[in-house]
Amino acid sequence: MREVIESLVSEALRSAVQGGRITLTELPEPAVERPRDPSHGDWATSVALRTAKAAGMNPRELAQVLADEMADHPDIDAVEIAGPGFINLRVSAHALQRVLREVRAEGTGYGRLDLGKGRRVQVEFVSANPVGPMHVGHGRWAALGDSMARVLEHAGYSVEREFYVNDAGVQMDTFAKSVAARYLELCGREIEFGEDWYRGAYITEIAREIFEAEGASWADADPAKRESHFKETAYVQVLEHLKHVLHGMGVDFDVWFSERTLHAPSADGGPSEVEQAIESLRAAGHIYELDDATWFASIPFGDDKDRVLKKADGSYTYFAADIAYHKDKFDRGFDRVIDIWGADHHGYVKRMEAAVAALGHPGQLDVVIGQLVNLFRDGEVVRMSKRTGEMVTFEDLLDEVGPDAARYFFLRRSTDQPLDFDIGLAKQRSNENPVFYVQYAHARICSILRKAAGADTSDDSVDISATVAELVSEDAPLKLLAGDAELSLMRKLAEFPEVVEVAALQLTPSKLTRYAEELAAAFHQFYTLCKVVDPEEPELTAARLYAVDATRIALADVLVLVGVSAPERM
RNA sequence: GCGCCCUUAGCUCAGUGGAUAGAGCGUCCGGCUACGAACCGGGAGGUCGCAGGUUCGAAUCCUGCAGGGCGCACCA
């Protein structure tokens, strides 16, 4: 619809210039927007205000010339000039009714766009260290990343979801030591527990599983061998657990990328990917040696200071591995890479962007910073601590509120806003809970359709799509849908492709929950004012059933992008 | 000290340089002998943190200040 309006305005400008009614050396952008106030119409353009000076006319005068050019378009009912020189356009009922046909024809594909033109995008998110349970923030990244991927797919990108597994490095060793210590306790040994070791109850659980499976045989083994064995056993367990929890919220990854593979020698025994990445930067002239360390000159790429890649002791920094990781991503052919990180990593963004630019992919990395989650229960802050073992984990939260409420609440705030998550509210089945408000609209529609079809309302096996196929006819006289509530509903349905576009361009899936609530509200208002099933008005009933079914489809579509179910009954 | 994010109604938050700044909750008033009242309608409630600047026009862009959050390793 936006394109239609934009070309209408551009056409009016061109025609007015050609006809000599205005004088411009250059045609301006159409500057089309949706007015905040619905009484100003469906669309407005400020083009007359912006170009009045260049055209040497006063804005209202210019607006009048342009309005005259636009008046005859079949999709436009009214063109009005308002305020200092806005041109307000009202879309015709006919054009809105056509939207209903579009929604039903496209079904789950309604709102699909070709912004991506099939370009390959990778979204990397969660990437929690596999040394313990995920915290609630991980849940937020999971919901955010997965919905972002869904939106990008809907907008025409080819998307892959990836989880970076930090299976190398000291936190893995700490993890192994911690598990080994608990294991030795179970074997009845006295142990000394390191200060920075992990103390969560889950460590003891893992140790117990190993103890039960393998007995006390490792108690007298060489500590290094024992820890190495425990590391592998335990981390695989944790990783499987992470997959399981994420899957429980409907989040599944295409690729689980192991950090270790970056450090390992190549297949033919040559240099590792980390070494190759450094060499590739060296070849491009971005590497120097200082104080026995190898440095990446990142300042020229906008970083605050240059960064060490290889330390004086010969080992590589985490950043070096991350550069290799991102080089690997681009080597795999992605046109665009999106990383979702917690706010506690924002200091890392500049150097990563610098590295990606130095590797020859400037501007192809987007880092989305997600602010943290504060958990509340009945107004009280719930503290999270990775070490005390008393934290509320992402899994705990999911068990308590369920995947629908969890995903919906995680998406409801914009990403750069810290999220206050109220467990009590998420569990409430009341009008205070927005996820139920939206799902209720969908269930209510299904109920109307069942009722209209004369279906037995107690029969749970009634299939809604079969009901619809029988009930809703393409011959329905949609021109009868001309009341305010009906027009508002159709306007809201028409907005969906724009919402997908904005969410995809700005990487802000939170727009979806807002839209879902607006669409649900438009439907509830329509329902209150318009009786759908009326035996005395068969024509009107047919038309309204058509509109109701289109709403059902669009609600289901937006909920798919959010990642929340669209129940037929509640 | 430096950097990033935030500051909008009593609360939680929307708000792509446009018109009289919006929603939900809370509060007050009203609506089921019609298809799901888990719903709908209406009222009250604002110096958009403060001060400058840019322009036809600023909650939005720029600068400074204040308050809050998070970071500033040859850690990962």
Side-chain angles (χ1 to χ4, degrees):
Chain A
M1 194 52 112
R2 176 181 286 276
E3 293 82 24
V4 174
I5 305 296
E6 283 178 349
S7 69
L8 172 67
V9 174
S10 298
E11 205 43 55
L13 281 161
R14 187 172 305 125
S15 156
V17 168
Q18 274 169 7
R21 289 178 289 281
I22 55 178
T23 311
L24 282 174
T25 50
E26 191 180 345
L27 287 183
E29 290 292 306
V32 159
E33 61 204 38
R34 280 193 178 273
R36 252 200 301 244
D37 183 343
S39 74
H40 292 138
D42 298 304
W43 293 96
T45 173
S46 56
V47 73
L49 287 165
R50 294 167 196 270
T51 41
K53 202 180 270 179
M57 299 167 80
N58 84 48
R60 287 193 63 107
E61 209 181 334
L62 176 56
Q64 187 59 56
V65 172
L66 295 175
D68 291 343
E69 300 282 347
M70 294 188 248
D72 290 335
H73 194 280
D75 286 350
I76 302 299
D77 255 5
V79 183
E80 292 148 16
I81 297 167
F86 290 100
I87 303 171
N88 294 334
L89 301 164
R90 216 167 291 275
V91 172
S92 70
H94 176 74
L96 292 171
Q97 289 149 5
R98 207 171 52 216
V99 170
L100 297 178
R101 297 198 188 280
E102 224 175 285
V103 176
R104 293 217 344 131
E106 294 177 20
T108 55
Y110 180 57
R112 204 173 274 285
L113 308 171
D114 194 27
L115 285 181
K117 307 201 184 318
R119 280 191 300 257
R120 291 184 63 207
V121 181
Q122 185 211 56
V123 186
E124 182 222 319
F125 56 111
V126 184
S127 300
N129 285 336
V131 296
M134 287 175 285
H135 57 67
V136 180
H138 289 122
R140 188 179 190 188
W141 324 146
L144 182 66
D146 189 58
S147 277
M148 200 180 284
R150 290 174 189 223
V151 168
L152 289 169
E153 278 163 357
H154 214 64
Y157 287 90
S158 167
V159 183
E160 273 187 37
R161 296 161 174 81
E162 183 153 315
F163 186 117
Y164 182 47
V165 184
N166 295 123
D167 52 8
V170 297
Q171 88 278 353
M172 288 295 293
D173 298 329
T174 307
F175 175 54
K177 286 192 178 81
S178 312
V179 174
R182 294 304 184 200
Y183 171 86
L184 290 172
E185 272 183 347
L186 291 169
C187 297
R189 306 294 170 90
E190 291 266 319
I191 52 123
E192 200 158 313
F193 212 76
E195 204 162 296
D196 57 347
W197 295 4
Y198 302 139
R199 292 167 192 279
Y202 67 95
I203 295 285
T204 312
E205 283 305 307
I206 293 168
R208 190 186 314 281
E209 281 182 43
I210 295 175
F211 180 74
E212 281 166 8
E214 305 187 34
S217 57
W218 290 94
D220 295 310
D222 170 55
K225 281 187 181 158
R226 178 172 60 221
E227 279 165 26
S228 162
H229 172 73
F230 279 24
K231 188 197 300 191
E232 298 315 307
T233 313
Y235 119 83
V236 168
Q237 267 187 39
V238 173
L239 204 55
E240 286 309 312
H241 183 70
L242 298 186
K243 285 185 193 182
H244 173 76
V245 172
L246 289 162
H247 178 75
M249 202 176 72
V251 177
D252 296 291
F253 290 86
D254 301 299
V255 176
W256 294 75
F257 190 97
S258 159
E259 181 188 351
R260 285 182 193 174
T261 60
L262 299 169
H263 296 282
S266 66
D268 56 6
S272 69
E273 287 197 55
V274 172
E275 288 158 337
Q276 288 177 40
I278 294 176
E279 286 320 305
S280 140
L281 287 176
R282 193 190 303 277
H286 306 306
I287 296 291
Y288 63 89
E289 310 289 331
L290 180 71
D291 299 336
D292 298 326
T294 301
W295 294 73
F296 166 42
S298 55
I299 291 176
F301 295 96
D303 197 3
D304 304 323
K305 53 171 292 199
D306 291 346
R307 305 290 172 175
V308 170
L309 300 184
K310 188 177 189 179
K311 298 182 258 184
D313 68 3
S315 65
Y316 293 99
T317 60
Y318 180 83
F319 183 43
D322 233 357
I323 292 176
Y325 178 41
H326 282 75
K327 180 173 183 296
D328 186 281
K329 292 184 183 195
F330 286 107
D331 287 348
R332 277 184 273 161
F334 290 107
D335 300 299
R336 187 177 173 195
V337 164
I338 298 170
D339 292 353
I340 299 178
W341 296 347
D344 51 344
H345 286 82
H346 74 256
Y348 202 72
V349 175
K350 272 188 191 168
R351 79 188 70 165
M352 200 66 248
E353 286 174 345
V356 167
L359 288 168
H361 304 282
Q364 286 175 263
L365 170 71
D366 286 288
V367 181
V368 175
I369 293 299
Q371 297 293 320
L372 303 171
V373 176
N374 303 308
L375 216 46
F376 290 82
R377 189 195 300 277
D378 307 323
E380 296 285 310
V381 177
V382 181
R383 288 193 65 85
M384 291 173 284
S385 161
K386 198 144 192 170
R387 300 295 166 81
T388 60
E390 291 167 3
M391 67 175 173
V392 176
T393 65
F394 170 36
E395 184 182 10
D396 296 335
L397 183 73
L398 213 46
D399 284 346
E400 191 164 355
V401 308
D404 280 353
R407 285 192 74 135
Y408 198 93
F409 274 65
F410 282 140
L411 276 198
R412 207 156 171 259
R413 293 276 170 274
S414 60
T415 321
D416 51 12
Q417 194 79 241
L419 174 68
D420 288 342
F421 193 117
D422 192 309
I423 298 175
L425 177 59
K427 282 169 73 177
Q428 247 176 68
R429 310 185 138 257
S430 81
N431 59 353
E432 285 175 56
N433 188 339
V435 66
F436 282 102
Y437 180 82
V438 175
Q439 290 182 317
Y440 176 63
H442 187 269
R444 204 179 200 187
I445 288 173
C446 292
S447 170
I448 294 169
L449 293 169
R450 283 191 300 267
K451 182 95 176 180
D456 180 356
T457 45
S458 63
D459 182 359
D460 273 3
S461 68
V462 175
D463 177 46
I464 201 71
S465 48
T467 306
V468 165
E470 224 172 283
L471 190 67
V472 182
S473 159
E474 285 304 319
D475 299 329
L478 302 186
K479 63 176 187 296
L480 298 178
L481 302 172
D484 286 346
E486 290 157 328
L487 294 172
S488 297
L489 179 60
M490 292 188 286
R491 285 193 181 97
K492 198 48 79 177
L493 287 169
E495 274 180 41
F496 184 57
E498 294 160 42
V499 173
V500 174
E501 180 175 359
V502 170
L505 287 176
Q506 301 179 352
L507 303 178
T508 52
S510 62
K511 308 275 183 200
L512 298 169
T513 52
R514 183 156 301 276
Y515 174 74
E517 287 162 48
E518 288 169 3
L519 181 57
F523 172 73
H524 287 310
Q525 285 155 15
F526 159 81
Y527 173 88
T528 305
L529 293 172
C530 302
K531 184 177 180 180
V532 177
V533 182
D534 185 350
E536 290 174 20
E537 298 269 13
E539 296 281 282
L540 187 59
T541 296
R544 284 180 172 168
L545 282 172
Y546 197 100
V548 163
D549 190 48
T551 308
R552 176 186 66 88
I553 290 166
L555 271 174
D557 287 350
V558 65
L559 286 175
V560 164
L561 296 184
V562 171
V564 168
S565 68
E568 294 176 14
R569 290 187 172 76
M570 296 173 68

